[in-house]
């Protein structure tokens, strides 16, 4: 039961995020594009009911994720978000009234099997409730530097898969840091109540990081196909979260010969994700350029 509860909450969060991604993707394709980051993008999206519905799904996912992080290790909760990609494509196929092809379902099965094998072999343990500031500073500095480098790399590339992948990877780092900070805030809420929660720097840090990650995600959705940004987001979130769980919260995974099935699980996940990214029907998730409005960057 100790493991089941965070797993259930994490799966609910992954499904909510999948719904949110598809709805936000549809909304992002109806607003003017720009060559750079456009501050007015968020204002345009606020006028789209579909985008607002997606934001509600984001809030539902955030609540489920917070509950999962409050009850389980970061190294168990965040890797489960690998399921966002197959769930996103399944939700997209339902909204488009098209069936996911047989090889798509096979790829979904491979991803699920890889995740199950990897987590079973890793058997993450530990649920530290306090992280010292001297651990946070270098971790946050490194992650901020990586996000900045990915954003600059994205801006130097034309609209397309490479740009979307860079922004998706930057979003992944942002979401992983948000999760790590959220976990700390939830433990503060549990131990010190609302006063402690609202006076803790981690609370405002995870809120700010989450907003920045959302901004990167919206730009990633406009930069190129969902199948370019989502794999980078999904796999990156899991890997960075695993690193943060080990370095910040001193969570542990099995080593020795257990690394072999762990690597096999990662290989299966990667193969399944790549197969999902190649499914032809996902091309319809991107509107033709001539049907998409364009705006000059300010």
């Amino acid at each position: 039961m100790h493991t089941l509860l965070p797993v259930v909450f994490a799966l609910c969060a992954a499904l909510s995020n999948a719904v949110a991604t598809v709805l936000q993707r549809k909304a992002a394709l109806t607003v003017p594009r720009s060559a750079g980051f456009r501050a007015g993008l968020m204002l345009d999206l606020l006028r789209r009911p579909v985008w607002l519905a997606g934001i509600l799904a984001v809030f539902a996912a955030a609540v489920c994720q917070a509950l999962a992080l409050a009850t389980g290790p970061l190294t168990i909760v965040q890797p489960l978000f690998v399921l966002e990609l197959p769930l996103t494509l399944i939700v997209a196929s339902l909204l488009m009234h098209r069936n996911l092809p047989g090889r798509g379902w096979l790829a979904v099965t491979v991803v699920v099997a890889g995740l199950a094998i990897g987590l079973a072999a890793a058997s993450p343990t530990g649920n530290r409730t306090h992280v010292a500031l001297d651990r946070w500073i270098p971790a946050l500095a490194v992650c901020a530097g990586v996000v900045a480098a990915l954003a600059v790399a994205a801006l130097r590339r034309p609209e397309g898969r490479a740009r979307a992948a860079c922004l998706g990877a930057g979003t992944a780092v942002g979401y992983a840091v948000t999760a790590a900070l959220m976990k700390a805030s939830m433990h503060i809420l549990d131990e010190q109540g609302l006063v402690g929660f609202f006076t803790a720097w981690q609370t405002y840090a995870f809120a700010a990081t989450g907003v920045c990650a959302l901004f990167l995600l919206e730009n990633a959705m406009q930069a190129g196909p969902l199948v370019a940004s989502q794999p980078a987001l999904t796999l990156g979130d899991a890997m960075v979260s695993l690193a943060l769980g080990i370095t910040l919260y001193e969570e542990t995974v099995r080593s020795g010969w257990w690394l072999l099935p762990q690597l096999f699980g990662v290989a299966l996940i990667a193969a399944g994700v790549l197969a999902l990214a190649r499914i032809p029907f996902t091309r319809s998730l991107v509107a033709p350029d001539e049907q998409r409005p364009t705006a000059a960057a300010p």
Side-chain angles (χ1 to χ4, degrees), residues 11 13 24 37 41 54 58 63 77 106 130 138 218 230 251 254 270 279 286 288 296:
L11 291 177
Q24 290 173 338
F37 293 133
L41 173 61
V58 169
V63 171
V77 173
L106 177 60
H130 176 71
E218 299 300 346
Q230 193 67 26
E251 297 170 5
R254 287 170 172 169
I279 295 175
V286 183

Side-chain angles (χ1 to χ4, degrees), residues 193-295:
L194 287 175
V195 174
F197 178 79
F198 284 111
T199 56
W201 68 266
Q202 292 93 333
T203 300
Y204 300 96
F206 93 69
T209 305
V211 170
C212 292
L214 179 60
F215 178 70
L216 286 175
L217 176 61
E218 299 300 346
N219 282 276
M221 287 178 176
Q222 282 201 320
L226 183 66
V227 294
S229 58
Q230 193 67 26
L233 170 59
T234 303
L235 295 176
D237 187 358
M239 298 307 295
V240 176
S241 294
L242 183 66
L244 291 177
I246 293 173
T247 57
L248 289 177
Y249 288 94
E250 297 183 353
E251 297 170 5
T252 60
V253 295
R254 287 170 172 169
S255 57
W257 73 269
W258 286 104
L259 292 175
L260 294 178
Q262 290 174 37
L263 293 174
F264 179 62
V266 172
L268 286 179
I269 293 172
V273 167
L274 290 176
L276 286 172
R278 293 192 179 102
I279 295 175
F281 96 93
T282 56
R283 297 172 187 168
S284 58
L285 292 178
V286 183
D289 287 341
E290 61 270 16
Q291 295 179 1
R292 294 172 61 185
T294 304

Side-chain angles (χ1 to χ4, degrees), residues 152-166:
V152 171
L155 288 175
R156 291 180 176 177
R157 286 166 171 77
E159 185 176 276
R161 290 176 179 268
R163 184 172 181 174
C166 286

Side-chain angles (χ1 to χ4, degrees), residues 16 19-20 23-24 49-63:
S16 295
V19 173
L23 294 177
Q24 290 173 338
V50 172
W51 188 81
L52 293 175
I55 288 299
L56 289 178
V58 169
F59 287 150
V63 171

Side-chain angles (χ1 to χ4, degrees), residues 5-68:
L5 195 59
V7 167
V8 170
F9 283 131
L11 291 177
C12 289
L15 178 58
S16 295
N17 271 336
V19 173
T21 295
V22 176
L23 294 177
Q24 290 173 338
R25 175 65 177 170
K26 292 180 63 176
L29 292 172
T30 66
V31 299
R33 295 176 295 152
S34 63
F37 293 133
R38 185 167 61 88
L41 173 61
M42 300 303 290
L43 294 178
D44 287 338
L45 290 171
L46 282 170
R47 301 187 183 98
R48 269 62 177 182
V50 172
W51 188 81
L52 293 175
I55 288 299
L56 289 178
V58 169
F59 287 150
V63 171
C64 291
Q65 183 181 15
L67 292 173

